Structures are given as structure tokens and as C-alpha cells.
Amino acid sequence: MSAPDRLTCDEIRDLAPLFVTLALDEDEMAAVRAHLATCGEPHPELAELGEAATALLDTVEPAEPSAGLRGQLMAAAAADLAEGRHPASATSSSAVSASPVPALASTESPAPAGVATPVGPVASPAPAPVVSLDAERRRRRPGPGWWLAAAAVIVAVVLGGWNLALQRDLSAAQAYRQGVNAALQAAGQPGSVAALLAADDGSVSGLGVVAADGTVNLAMRGLAPTTGSQVYSAWSIGADGKPVSLGDFTVGSDGIAVVATKGPAAAPGAVLALTLEPVGGARAPSGPIVAKGVTAGAAG
Amino acid sequence: MSDIRSLPPTAPPDPGGITDEDLLAGLAAGTLDALDTLYERYKTMAFGIARRITADDVLAEDVVQEAFLGAWRNADRYVAGKGSVRTWLLSIVHHRAIDAVRRRRPTTDLPADDDGSLTPAPLTMPDVWGEVSGRLDREVVLAAVATLSDAQREAVELAYFGGLTQVEIADRTGVPLGTVKSRVRLGLLALRRALEGHAPEGAT
């Protein structure tokens, strides 16, 4: 049913029971809202019927959502702060810090050429991504163990198109491949979770695996080289919604990071994210999210 | 391999000392703890509503996440005089769930936001209502619903929980549009009458 451009007060009264129960189509709902936005009449019939309709919500049996939902929500909310989608984003740094966030850090020995250099003690965590609901739906439906079954595809995605690009830097390409292989090997261990990490524009991509004992393997490509005191910080955000730092690292001109570190064990649904921080050791993420991904059970 | 240090765990907020309005102020200020506490407080109701409407656990969780994120991003739009925070939040869940089931129908063509989700009307529109008598016990409301005629209850529930429009309800039940409208109106009025006078949960 199509709605007239302008409704009269009598028509609003007539449509009231359908409006408060959302039984009008979108055009009609919009027409009623448009009327109410400008009408000087109080239209008490809407409140009268609307309050009764609202009471229906209390007839619903409460139900417990999955434990992972909390982590996803908190990760997405933290990402809002970091990426400017929340009104308080202008002060997001303090807002995130104010929330209790466990943290910390990792360091690693000097890395070979072509491999990211982990930097000192670390900072904490952060944000996570609002995941496409459709993608998330698809992600959640497969059972455990799907990851390895799709390993060949994953290798193609992670490494695809990389060979030619890296002919100019074979040592870096080799380091990246080794990093991916190490991550895939870790993904084969029981209790591991894995995520494809990517930038929104696809310029950065890679693989992150968290083993059952908390060992983390990251292999990333396409990262902008760090300069000065800049570091990339890796974060894990689990079901409790508290981001935990996995460590900081720097990246050279080849844009590759292969990092092995240790953090808390992660359950499927945890978010792995990389942020670019002005300095290492931050207690909370303040820089932009460079890449992110939601973990799925890797080994069955 | 790296050494990992951990900060001491933070004590959870005391739910007893923090009102919903306090939490909403926290959301508006961008405090993640406030969102966490609000979620813990209402997750089961929110998920119950979303699941009732969508009949799909995965979709229901999507709805709940969207709804809480909507509240997180728009907490400053809550108008205290137009119902409790609880009602505001659960109304967002309700609207989101209805949007989700309508979007799922192949014949439905709904406009979407940039991120693919529909605009959460309760955040910006006058579609959030107060309570008849404050927060009521579920059994009280179920008893009030039981006073409706079968036809009234069917029409109300097909709309409110089924996500059907008046046209779809008329098709489904085989009655004219005017009859659908009348049944919903009379059903809601009967429900209101049955609920008026009941003391809110926890009231003395």
C-alpha cells in the first residue's frame, strides 16, 4: 500500500494501531513519522496504543545469546571509537583508556631481513571491526575444522598475486611464505583459531593464528613501512570484549611482517586486529585499524 | 618468543549501584564498560525478542549486535521522558528484528543504509512508547494477553512479532484490511485495560 505524501490528523488516528505495531509498510511508516515531526497535535492515541504494544515485549521468554556475541559487540564498539563512528571519537583515546583493558606485550628478538621487528613492551588493545553481517553469518555456519579443509584456498588467497610482485625482493617473499606456512601449520593444531586479516581496501592482508597455548603467528603483507617511533600493534579481543595486546613490531620497506609472539588463548569469534601506533607500549589502541579479521576454529 | 605481561584484571562494575540512565550517559561518552554492563543487563531479553521475531539464532544475534551498536552510537538521542532506557533499547531490538525478517523476504524491497542495515527508527523517530504501568512481570502481561479474543491476539502478534504488514495479515487471515486494523486496535486497547492498575515489578 502506498502512502499519501501528507496525512491528516484523522488519518494518523486511523493508522495508529498499525503504526505502533509496525504493521504499515515503509512508505506509510515514513508518512506517519513525517506527520508527527511537524504536527502540533499531541496524538495521545499513539501513546495509548504504543504503550500497550510495548508491553508485549515482556511476554517474550528471555534467552541467552552465545558467549561470542559479547566479544563481537565490544570489539565493534571499540572499533567505532578508533575509527570515528562514535560521537565521542574525538576523545576516543581517553574513552578507551578509561575502560578497563587488560594488556600487554611482547617483544621479540631482532628479526631477519624481510621480517617485522617486534618492539618492546606493549600496549594494549583495541578495537575491532564491525563485521559484515552477511559475511559473519557465512562465517559462523561452517563447523569446526573447515579451515584446514579450505587451506589450499586460503593459501591461494593469502599468497595469490604475490609471486610476481615480490620477484624484486625474493628474500622478503620467502619470509612471507614461510610465515604463512608457519601459521597454517599452527592452524592444524587442536584448539587453534585462525583469521584472515585484511584492510578494508584490500591493500593489507595476511593470516593470523592463535594456538591453544596462546602462541600467535602472524604473516602480513602490504603494510606501510613504519617510521620514527611508529609501531604496528597486534590486538586480540575475545568474548569478554577486552582487547589484549599481542605485541608491537616495526615494518621495513618490503611491507612484510612475520611475527611469532604469545598472548591469551582465543576462542572462535575473537577478533585479531593490527593498529598503527605513534609509539610502542600504548595501553590502548589509538591509531587506525590497519587490518582485522574474526577468528574461526581452525582445527577440529 | 615474546614475553607477555598482563595488567591486573579490572573489577566489574557494580550493577546494583548504576542506573540504566547512568549507563546510557556512559555510552554517550564512549565508555566501553557502560556498554558492557548494559549488554549484560539486557542481553537475554534482547536476544529473546530477536529470536522470537526472526526464529533464527544467527540472525537474532546479528539483530542484537546491531541494536546495541545503534544504542552505543546514538545514546545521546535517548529522550528520558519517552520511556525507560530498557524500553528504548528493547524497542530498537524489536524494530531491528522486524526489519531483518522483512529484508529476508524475497518480495520485500527496503531501503538500506550505507552499511546495509536499515535506519533504526527508534533512535530518531517518535516510535518509542512508555510503559502502561511501569515494568510489569511477564506472567502479568501474559495473563493480560490471554484476555484478548483469538482473532485480536492473532492480528496483534502477526504484526508485532511476525513482522507482517496489514496487507500481509489480511492475506494470511482472509479478512479485509479494515478488519485487521480494527482487531489490532481493539486488541491493544483490551491489553491496555487489562494491564492498567497492575503494580510494576518490585513496587510496593
Side-chain angles (χ1 to χ4, degrees):
Chain A
M1 174 175 286
S2 63
D5 290 339
R6 297 179 65 84
L7 296 172
T8 65
C9 287
D10 282 343
E11 288 170 324
I12 294 296
R13 282 186 274 274
D14 185 53
L15 292 174
L18 303 172
F19 179 68
V20 302
T21 52
L22 310 187
L24 299 174
D25 65 30
E26 276 303 298
D27 289 343
E28 294 167 322
M29 292 293 289
V32 174
R33 289 170 185 147
H35 176 98
L36 297 176
T38 57
C39 180
E41 293 290 322
H43 284 295
E45 71 281 358
L46 284 169
E48 182 179 37
L49 297 172
E51 289 169 5
T54 297
L56 291 168
L57 296 175
D58 284 315
T59 66
V60 173
E61 182 81 40
E64 188 75 27
S66 71
L69 183 59
R70 180 187 182 199
Q72 292 169 29
L73 170 66
M74 297 309 295
D80 273 2
L81 290 174
E83 297 175 359
R85 286 188 297 271
H86 189 280
S89 292
T91 55
S92 62
S93 183
S94 60
V96 175
S97 299
S99 80
V101 184
L104 271 248
S106 57
T107 309
E108 189 42 340
S109 55
V115 176
T117 305
V119 177
V122 185
S124 80
V130 179
V131 177
S132 150
L133 294 181
D134 286 340
E136 178 65 7
R137 231 166 269 136
R138 288 193 297 272
R139 181 191 69 72
R140 280 188 248 166
R141 287 195 168 121
W146 66 272
W147 182 274
L148 284 185
V153 175
I154 292 162
V155 170
V157 170
V158 176
L159 296 178
W162 197 226
N163 293 343
L164 290 177
L166 283 181
Q167 281 180 356
R168 63 180 180 272
D169 191 341
L170 293 177
S171 64
Q174 190 171 29
Y176 179 65
R177 278 180 170 280
Q178 287 173 348
V180 171
N181 288 337
L184 283 173
Q185 191 169 16
Q189 301 305 310
S192 295
V193 297
L196 290 173
L197 281 75
D200 290 341
D201 63 3
S203 60
V204 177
S205 60
L207 179 62
V209 176
V210 182
D213 66 356
T215 299
V216 180
N217 285 89
L218 278 175
M220 301 297 301
R221 70 180 186 189
L223 295 166
T226 49
T227 59
S229 61
Q230 277 186 328
V231 295
Y232 286 98
S233 296
W235 311 100
S236 171
I237 304 171
D240 64 357
K242 312 295 187 188
V244 176
S245 173
L246 301 176
D248 295 343
F249 56 88
T250 57
V251 171
S253 60
D254 56 28
I256 290 175
V258 176
V259 178
T261 181
K262 196 151 187 175
V271 172
L272 299 182
L274 295 183
T275 59
L276 181 59
E277 303 292 338
V279 294
R283 299 287 300 274
S286 60
I289 292 182
V290 176
K292 66 204 175 194
V294 180
T295 61
Chain B
M1 198 56 60
S2 303
D3 294 328
I4 301 294
R5 292 185 286 125
S6 296
L7 293 178
T10 303
D14 172 17
I18 303 175
T19 67
D20 286 352
E21 287 71 20
D22 293 337
L23 293 176
L24 212 58
L27 263 64
T31 305
L32 291 170
D33 272 353
L35 176 64
D36 195 21
T37 303
L38 193 70
Y39 173 76
E40 286 300 309
R41 209 170 271 188
Y42 293 115
K43 63 181 180 182
T44 58
M45 272 304 295
F47 183 62
I49 291 166
R51 188 163 72 164
R52 166 81 182 269
I53 293 169
T54 64
D56 178 331
D57 283 4
V58 174
L59 185 57
E61 289 199 350
D62 291 343
V63 164
V64 171
Q65 179 169 337
E66 280 190 357
F68 274 91
L69 280 178
W72 164 249
R73 293 168 183 165
N74 297 277
D76 55 348
R77 300 191 192 183
Y78 166 71
V79 179
K82 294 206 67 177
S84 64
V85 171
R86 176 180 183 273
T87 295
W88 179 73
L89 180 64
L90 298 182
S91 293
I92 295 172
V93 173
H94 177 254
H95 279 65
R96 286 286 193 182
I98 296 292
D99 286 345
V101 294
R102 289 183 176 173
R103 212 160 45 216
R104 193 170 54 183
R105 290 185 203 137
T107 55
T108 304
D109 181 22
L110 296 177
D113 291 342
D114 291 343
D115 66 354
S117 60
L118 293 172
T119 301
L123 300 174
T124 55
M125 303 298 180
D127 319 24
V128 176
W129 318 106
E131 298 85 358
V132 175
S133 301
R135 185 173 176 180
L136 295 164
D137 183 82
R138 179 168 180 258
E139 299 307 317
V140 169
V141 184
L142 285 172
V145 171
T147 66
L148 275 59
S149 72
D150 289 346
Q152 290 170 356
R153 186 166 58 250
E154 178 186 46
V156 168
E157 293 197 344
L158 284 174
Y160 203 71
F161 291 121
L164 300 187
T165 66
Q166 60 171 334
V167 175
E168 292 167 329
I169 296 169
D171 288 344
R172 173 80 66 93
T173 57
V175 300
L177 284 177
T179 302
V180 171
K181 193 184 305 176
S182 174
R183 286 177 178 177
V184 174
R185 178 189 298 278
L186 293 174
L188 292 177
L189 290 175
L191 180 59
R192 184 178 180 92
R193 279 195 302 274
L195 291 173
E196 281 175 340
H198 279 282
E201 192 177 58
T204 55

